[in-house]
Amino acid sequence: MRLVDTHVHVNFPEYDRDLAEVRQRWQSAGVCRLVHSCVNPADFPKMQAIAQHFPEVSLAVGLHPLSTAEFWQDQLAEQIKTLAQSDSRIVAIGETGLDFYKAENQPEQITAFQHQLAIAQDLGLPVIIHCRESAHATYEVLKDFPNIRGVMHCWAGNPQETEWFLSLGMYISFSGIITFKNAKQIHESSKIVPSDRLLIETDCPFLAPHPQRGKRNEPALVKYVAHKLAELRQTDILEITEQTTNNAFTLFNL
């Protein structure tokens, strides 16, 4: 069984003491590739060092929407583009997107998102999109970039919102949230995603799946997401793992 965890943050301090052991566990679980998302370009040197040690790790570069208030400026767009062109291990721009849950800087988030979509379009790279309490606004921005490919990461939207992004050609990635009993709308959304647009992730160190909920998440636990998807879609686990792995290789050109 081969798995791809399409969204990790193993550069975070939670892994500073035992990343080698974490890697042993993801290898034992069958995780053959990981896509390391970026919250802030300042983190990129540490991400590169990890990828140097662990060649199964591919990289993305971008600015998280909740970091835009502190960090966004026009020069940063050039920095992201320069970094994206500088390393052959970069397979995506992101994570970028919109998060209106608590943020008050919505216009700044939209500007940063648009800049990063333009970079992805110019470079022919997919985007990793963060979308929380902002589905309609995210959809409206994406409509202006019809050639963009990408993934709605850690998807938690309802079926109607899922259809919006599927209509734009987006992939949909499910995280450990799908294993939570009260995640009813996510369960329903997972059933309508075409097999060739389905991805899985951990978003580690966050959102550990049941039965590890509340603990530090790590890439090995993506297997629980795959098993829950197989259950919800009433299909075989091997079919889910094969399809999501193939989809990840296709989208990110792994």
Side-chain angles (χ1 to χ4, degrees):
M1 182 170 71
R2 293 197 314 156
L3 298 158
V4 178
D5 187 346
T6 60
H7 200 103
V8 305
H9 299 282
V10 295
N11 65 313
F12 281 14
E14 286 89 337
Y15 304 101
D16 283 350
R17 291 187 297 176
D18 67 341
L19 186 54
E21 289 80 6
V22 171
R23 186 203 192 193
Q24 289 175 351
R25 288 193 288 273
W26 83 52
Q27 289 180 321
S28 296
V31 178
C32 63
R33 297 297 293 267
L34 304 88
V35 178
H36 199 304
S37 200
C38 182
V39 172
N40 181 345
D43 299 336
F44 198 65
K46 186 174 181 180
M47 292 168 52
Q48 287 178 304
I50 290 170
Q52 186 68 32
H53 287 292
F54 305 148
E56 66 269 34
V57 176
S58 296
L59 303 173
V61 62
L63 184 71
H64 190 286
L66 292 182
S67 296
T68 55
E70 184 176 354
F71 295 109
W72 181 255
Q73 51 187 310
D74 290 340
Q75 295 94 318
L76 194 56
E78 287 303 313
Q79 181 186 4
I80 291 170
K81 186 172 184 177
T82 298
L83 287 171
Q85 294 173 305
S86 71
D87 192 322
S88 62
R89 294 169 297 195
I90 294 179
V91 298
I93 299 296
E95 63 187 282
T96 181
L98 302 175
D99 191 321
F100 293 172
Y101 178 57
K102 293 182 179 179
E104 299 176 354
N105 65 323
Q106 295 180 10
E108 206 164 32
Q109 285 192 34
I110 290 170
T111 297
F113 186 27
Q114 290 169 329
H115 273 82
Q116 292 176 87
L117 289 170
I119 292 168
Q121 190 165 262
D122 288 347
L123 299 181
L125 290 172
V127 286
I128 298 171
I129 298 174
H130 175 105
C131 175
R132 184 164 67 154
E133 302 295 333
S134 59
H136 186 265
T138 301
Y139 175 66
E140 290 299 315
V141 172
L142 282 171
K143 284 197 301 185
D144 292 333
F145 294 85
N147 298 321
I148 280 289
R149 300 171 298 119
V151 55
M152 308 304 297
H153 112 84
C154 194
W155 184 240
N158 62 43
Q160 180 185 26
E161 293 164 344
T162 304
E163 293 283 9
W164 294 349
F165 295 106
L166 289 172
S167 74
L168 297 178
M170 292 291 140
Y171 288 68
I172 308 292
S173 181
F174 294 97
S175 70
I177 300 174
I178 203 171
T179 68
F180 301 169
K181 289 182 179 179
N182 61 348
K184 301 301 183 185
Q185 74 172 16
I186 304 173
H187 295 165
E188 293 307 308
S189 292
S190 74
K191 299 173 186 177
I192 65 173
V193 178
S195 294
D196 63 354
R197 229 90 72 67
L198 191 64
L199 294 171
I200 56 176
E201 64 173 88
T202 56
D203 198 15
C204 64
F206 313 110
L207 302 171
H210 177 80
Q212 303 295 320
R213 188 174 183 180
K215 300 179 181 178
R216 181 190 69 175
N217 202 0
E218 60 179 70
L221 303 183
V222 76
K223 63 186 179 184
Y224 291 110
V225 180
H227 279 280
K228 186 62 178 181
L229 268 177
E231 174 191 322
L232 289 165
R233 293 168 68 92
Q234 298 183 327
T235 189
D236 183 74
I237 181 60
L238 291 178
E239 182 177 332
I240 287 290
T241 57
E242 181 177 358
Q243 187 69 65
T244 56
T245 296
N246 289 341
N247 293 344
F249 272 74
T250 298
L251 177 62
F252 296 112
N253 194 28
L254 299 180

